[in-house]
Amino acid sequence: RKEPNMNGRIIRINRVPAAITAILLTIMLVYFLNFHTDERPAIYGMLRSDDKVDMRKLLIASIQAAQRGGLEVLDVARTRQLKERSKGKTLEGVNDPFTDADGRSHCVMKQGLKRIFPRVHIFSEEDKEHCAHAHSFDLDPTVLHETASVPDLAVTAQDVTIWVDPLDATKEYTEELYDYVTTMVCVAVAGRPVIGVIHSPFSGETAWAWVGHSRSEYLDELYRKPRLDAAEPIITVSRSHTAAAKDVARQVFGEQVSLLTAAGAGYKVLQVVASNATAYLHTSIIKKWDICAGDAILRALNGAMTTLKGDPINYGPNESPVNKEGLIASLDAHGEYLERLSKYSNDHKLR
């Protein structure tokens, strides 16, 4: 079509490119809208401008992230190309190693989550690592079992904090003690842990829970095991922090107490769930990406994880990533354990 301009000249308007652009935009819109909300590509989350996120999607993505991180851990273990180096020593003087598996799992887990949920706070143990390649995944609702009760529930994005542990028990990983190794994701809302995922790469099992809603079949299987007698406590403590924890455990619970030494905070929480231990005791500092997922899982089972003083642990974005107050975690008799710890603390203050 030809139209005159102000100077009497003819301007040719080619409407073909405009029509093609309109058609392409329509196709893209139909493409996105015809996906089930759980199955829309990761870029869909980046294009949205609202400040809400869906908890169902956060659960699905957390499970996928932990499992995909686990695949990286397995792949490095098979090659034995760990590229191990030391991050230094812990306060207990134990070497704190880093491997290629830590870095690869971190990049897959954190970048994958960040691409779907760009407006939420995400903290990973390996945040100092540079990811050379971009990683993403699309939501796959088939990671949920058919009977899972997981409603669509929107929360404010800025209230959400995700804690990622790309490889828990790295030291044991380098020693090929693979039973202790897990990858973990935790979702906290307003500082409270509500979704916890603990994935065991070498067994392929994933324990997850959404507080007040649903939990994985594997977690149910562990939880259904016969409960231990809280009057005869078995306390699980870290194999790398054993001296102080063992001393406190014996003085608090008596010389008859049984101790289960283990590695990895995620693994130790699962020992409590499976009734291999009545409580998990940690007497020194511990990072929140180590414990948030386990805290959420215990809450979902009506258990508890608190500091040694009995205070809940805050997992908000403005809090320190370090819990300096130790912890006690249990399914039963938590109040009784806290009373014993309080008495022990008061007795020592009087000396």
Side-chain angles (χ1 to χ4, degrees):
R1 181 180 172 182
K2 299 179 181 178
E3 296 182 4
N5 70 359
M6 296 296 294
N7 298 319
R9 290 181 297 177
I10 300 299
I11 298 175
R12 295 181 180 273
I13 301 177
N14 191 339
R15 300 194 176 189
V16 174
I20 292 175
T21 301
I23 291 170
L24 289 174
L25 289 172
T26 302
I27 291 173
M28 288 179 65
L29 181 63
V30 171
Y31 172 72
F32 281 127
L33 293 179
N34 275 280
F35 271 96
H36 184 277
T37 55
D38 290 338
E39 298 171 335
R40 288 172 180 163
I43 193 173
Y44 182 80
M46 300 172 67
L47 295 175
R48 296 189 62 181
S49 60
D50 60 64
D51 64 348
K52 299 289 186 179
V53 290
D54 187 273
M55 291 296 293
R56 173 186 169 89
K57 294 178 183 178
L58 280 165
L59 171 62
I60 293 169
S62 297
I63 296 169
Q64 286 183 254
Q67 292 177 345
R68 285 172 176 262
L71 292 176
E72 299 298 321
V73 170
L74 284 174
D75 188 53
V76 173
R78 291 191 186 104
T79 65
R80 295 305 303 163
Q81 300 297 315
L82 302 187
K83 301 179 183 177
E84 181 183 351
R85 68 176 190 267
S86 177
K87 294 193 289 186
K89 291 187 181 295
T90 65
L91 290 179
E92 293 79 14
V94 179
N95 180 47
D96 187 12
F98 175 89
T99 70
D100 196 36
D102 294 85
R104 285 173 51 174
S105 179
H106 158 76
C107 290
V108 167
M109 293 175 72
K110 180 166 183 178
Q111 287 196 346
L113 290 166
K114 196 65 179 176
R115 284 175 176 271
I116 301 174
F117 307 106
R119 286 172 293 282
V120 306
H121 308 281
I122 304 179
F123 299 100
S124 168
E125 180 175 6
E126 309 303 342
D127 270 336
K128 294 181 181 179
E129 289 302 305
H130 171 70
C131 299
H133 305 287
H135 298 273
S136 66
F137 54 82
D138 293 330
L139 292 175
D140 178 10
T142 63
V143 297
L144 303 174
H145 56 87
E146 293 181 356
T147 60
S149 174
V150 283
D152 290 306
L153 178 63
V155 296
T156 302
Q158 288 302 303
D159 287 343
V160 175
T161 309
I162 301 178
W163 296 88
V164 174
D165 192 338
L167 201 171
D168 194 29
T170 300
K171 181 175 181 293
E172 287 67 30
Y173 178 71
T174 66
E175 299 166 354
E176 300 186 33
L177 299 174
Y178 296 139
D179 286 347
Y180 298 128
V181 173
T182 62
T183 57
M184 296 188 286
V185 180
C186 177
V187 178
V189 178
R192 296 184 300 274
V194 293
I195 290 175
V197 182
I198 301 176
H199 176 64
S200 304
F202 293 91
S203 70
E205 300 287 1
T206 307
W208 61 260
W210 178 6
V211 177
H213 293 280
S214 191
R215 54 189 186 239
S216 68
E217 293 174 322
Y218 174 61
L219 185 62
D220 265 338
E221 180 185 325
L222 295 178
Y223 185 59
R224 284 196 300 265
K225 293 186 177 182
R227 315 285 340 139
L228 294 172
D229 184 356
E232 300 178 358
I234 300 174
I235 310 299
T236 183
V237 298
S238 176
R239 66 192 293 264
S240 60
H241 310 149
T242 52
K246 283 181 178 179
D247 181 61
V248 173
R250 289 195 173 107
Q251 293 196 53
V252 171
F253 301 103
E255 289 296 327
Q256 78 285 355
V257 68
S258 298
L259 296 177
L260 173 65
T261 58
Y267 178 87
K268 289 194 280 290
V269 165
L270 294 183
Q271 298 314 295
V272 173
V273 173
S275 288
N276 294 324
T278 47
Y280 164 28
L281 176 69
H282 191 91
T283 57
S284 60
I285 68 170
I286 191 167
K287 304 295 178 59
K288 291 181 180 177
W289 43 69
D290 289 316
I291 58 177
C292 185
D295 195 339
I297 283 175
L298 288 172
R299 287 178 184 230
L301 299 173
N302 297 314
M305 178 184 288
T306 64
T307 68
L308 297 179
K309 296 179 179 178
D311 298 322
I313 300 166
N314 190 318
Y315 299 94
N318 299 319
E319 301 294 317
S320 168
V322 179
N323 169 41
K324 299 178 180 179
E325 304 298 328
L327 69 83
I328 181 77
S330 65
L331 283 177
D332 306 300
H334 197 79
E336 179 185 337
Y337 294 156
L338 287 174
E339 286 181 11
R340 294 186 184 186
L341 284 164
S342 177
K343 183 178 184 302
Y344 168 81
S345 177
N346 290 335
D347 288 347
H348 280 66
K349 286 178 182 177
L350 292 174
R351 291 180 182 179

